[in-house]
Amino acid sequence: MVKKFTPMYKKIETFIIEQIRNENWKPRSRIPSENELAEQFGVSRITVKNALTTLVDKGVVYRLQGKGTFVSDHSPEDISNISTEEKAAHTVPVIGFLLPRLDNRFTANLLSGIEDSLSGNGYQLLFAKTNDSQEHEILRIQEMKQAGVKGLIIYPVEGEHYNNEILSLTLNRFPLVLLDRELKGVDTNSISSDNYAAAMQAVNHLHELGHSQIGFISTLAEGTSSIEDRLHGYEKALEDRHILIDRGMQMTKLTMTSSDDEVIAMIQQFLKANPQMTALLSSNFSPHVIQAALQLGISVPEDLSVVFFDDVEYPDFCIVPPTAVVQQELELGREAGRLIMEQIENRSSEYQQIKLPTVLVPRQSTAKARKTNRTP
């Protein structure tokens, strides 16, 4: 028989009820504090708070502001009639998570990290895709609110400048964390990688290999803070190296709705227009870049060095194992979960913008620069 899993907050509820039932804790006596119970069970204060909130609703204990939690007036027989399973379905707090798509290792690890953080603290996760559509995103937010979620983690769609629903959540102080993005003019909590520093890492790596004609490719940068930060970091690194910024070697117009053939055709047109380019930072569609180059007879890395933003799942099985800027996907998810729980517990009213460092992993898609013989 498979043993039924019992969340930690339910175990804490059971422990408290047993202490009262066995008359170890008398009516009107103060029970251990949230911190003491959290240390005893090895959990966060949020988990303890969830257990105590349920017991307050059941009338088992009551709280006095600034003084603590106390046992209510009742007989041991009354306590014996209280089931720790009662109202369980209604008292488990639920967090909503909106993600544009779930189609790669990066997004899967984000989801896994959030689940790791929430499930260990007595929370449930309600997940939905927005399919790269702001209209779908607005609808999903409305549905999540109607479902009674206690907080939302949102990975905004690309190119998003403004969303009335997100602004409304912020103005109403609804617990909210933006993941991988920041929205201009919207003050709220956010978790992302340090994309600016990551781009500088990538350019410095290429420059150390002797490259000075370095291009940049991505989806639309405007309105997507992560892409904007990468582009700005790329340009700042060129400037620091006294390399002239040539915006003809920047293509920031790829779209997630384009087919693979359309993306490859656009990349090939870009490569043909820039025969002087010996290296390239690819913020999106990185495997397509190598495929497009090879189809044109451009060798990677001999003729063109390529740095991926985000790693691939099995780099050693790629035609050319890619040099990649690797993000801490699981930790990004875990931090998003931690921050949304902090807001629900109302530990701090101050907004936090957290940026996690990245790591550049050199592989076989980058090499020392050599004079290119490519022609337009």
Side-chain angles (χ1 to χ4, degrees):
M1 178 183 294
V2 178
K3 186 177 180 180
K4 184 179 178 181
F5 171 74
T6 303
M8 284 304 300
Y9 79 97
K10 298 301 297 181
K11 293 181 180 179
I12 296 170
E13 282 182 43
T14 301
F15 168 76
I16 293 172
I17 288 174
E18 287 300 319
Q19 295 302 310
I20 299 172
R21 181 180 293 154
N22 295 332
E23 300 187 66
N24 295 325
W25 296 348
K26 304 292 185 182
R28 300 189 185 183
S29 66
R30 184 180 179 278
I31 73 171
S33 69
E34 289 181 9
N35 284 335
E36 290 169 334
L37 288 169
E39 183 176 353
Q40 178 179 343
F41 285 89
V43 297
S44 71
R45 283 184 59 220
I46 298 173
T47 302
V48 175
K49 190 179 184 71
N50 289 338
L52 293 178
T53 298
T54 301
L55 293 178
V56 168
D57 291 341
K58 292 178 179 180
V60 177
V61 296
Y62 63 93
R63 286 171 169 164
L64 294 178
Q65 185 68 34
K67 294 185 178 180
T69 304
F70 297 80
V71 178
S72 299
D73 284 320
H74 38 50
S75 66
E77 290 75 18
D78 294 331
I79 293 297
S80 297
N81 294 325
I82 296 176
S83 168
T84 57
E85 297 300 320
E86 182 184 358
K87 300 182 182 178
H90 303 288
T91 58
V92 177
V94 179
I95 303 297
F97 177 37
L98 301 182
L99 187 66
R101 71 201 78 85
L102 185 60
D103 59 358
N104 54 44
R105 191 185 76 167
F106 177 73
T107 52
N109 281 340
L110 289 178
L111 178 59
S112 181
I114 292 171
E115 174 65 17
D116 287 346
S117 187
L118 297 182
S119 62
N121 288 287
Y123 283 80
Q124 290 185 349
L125 184 64
L126 181 60
F127 166 72
K129 293 189 297 181
T130 57
N131 299 316
D132 290 297
S133 164
Q134 190 176 48
E135 290 75 19
H136 286 180
E137 182 179 81
I138 291 171
L139 181 60
R140 297 290 94 79
I141 291 173
Q142 293 170 345
E143 291 173 347
M144 293 278 189
K145 289 167 63 180
Q146 290 171 2
V149 298
K150 300 299 184 182
L152 279 167
I153 301 171
I154 301 177
Y155 189 129
V157 301
E158 291 204 352
E160 182 160 282
H161 293 275
Y162 187 77
N163 182 321
N164 276 324
E165 285 296 325
I166 292 180
L167 181 60
S168 175
L169 293 171
T170 302
L171 292 176
N172 291 315
R173 304 295 297 182
F174 187 85
L176 172 67
V177 172
L178 297 184
L179 185 56
D180 194 61
R181 306 284 167 77
E182 297 174 12
L183 295 183
K184 291 181 180 177
V186 180
D187 290 327
T188 191
N189 297 278
S190 66
I191 306 285
S192 66
S193 293
D194 191 342
N195 289 291
Y196 183 88
M200 295 191 73
Q201 274 183 307
V203 171
N204 290 339
H205 169 71
L206 292 169
H207 188 266
E208 288 169 1
L209 293 172
H211 296 278
S212 58
Q213 300 296 314
I214 304 171
F216 183 92
I217 190 169
S218 73
T219 52
L220 185 68
E222 186 180 2
T224 304
S225 61
S226 57
I227 306 296
E228 289 179 339
D229 287 348
R230 290 172 182 178
L231 183 56
H232 294 157
Y234 153 81
E235 292 187 344
K236 182 60 167 65
L238 293 180
E239 181 184 319
D240 290 348
R241 299 289 185 173
H242 306 291
I243 299 173
L244 181 67
I245 296 173
D246 180 357
R247 291 195 166 84
M249 288 198 295
Q250 300 175 10
M251 183 174 72
T252 58
K253 59 182 181 181
L254 297 175
T255 65
M256 291 296 180
T257 56
S258 299
S259 68
D260 288 344
D261 289 342
E262 289 171 335
V263 169
I264 289 173
M266 292 177 68
I267 294 172
Q268 288 179 337
Q269 183 179 5
F270 174 66
L271 294 175
K272 289 176 182 177
N274 292 281
Q276 78 283 12
M277 189 166 57
T278 64
L280 179 62
L281 274 64
S282 177
S283 186
N284 304 93
F285 297 104
S286 299
H288 295 71
V289 172
I290 290 184
Q291 186 176 353
L294 295 179
Q295 287 180 4
L296 291 176
I298 300 171
S299 297
V300 178
E302 291 81 6
D303 300 324
L304 181 70
S305 286
V306 181
V307 176
F308 285 24
F309 276 98
D310 300 337
D311 208 355
V312 294
E313 190 166 2
Y314 300 108
D316 292 338
F317 290 92
C318 294
I319 297 174
V320 181
T323 294
V325 176
V326 179
Q327 302 189 63
Q328 301 181 61
E329 302 106 329
L330 282 170
E331 194 58 32
L332 284 168
R334 289 168 183 154
E335 280 292 295
R338 179 194 62 78
L339 187 51
I340 198 70
M341 289 187 292
E342 277 192 3
Q343 289 182 75
I344 291 170
E345 192 178 4
N346 198 27
R347 289 184 181 177
S348 172
S349 60
E350 295 183 0
Y351 293 122
Q352 298 182 52
Q353 285 79 42
I354 299 172
K355 295 185 183 294
L356 301 184
T358 59
V359 176
L360 188 136
V361 180
R363 296 196 187 99
Q364 296 175 32
S365 67
T366 53
K368 289 186 177 180
R370 70 181 189 184
K371 185 176 180 179
T372 180
N373 295 317
R374 291 197 284 129
T375 56

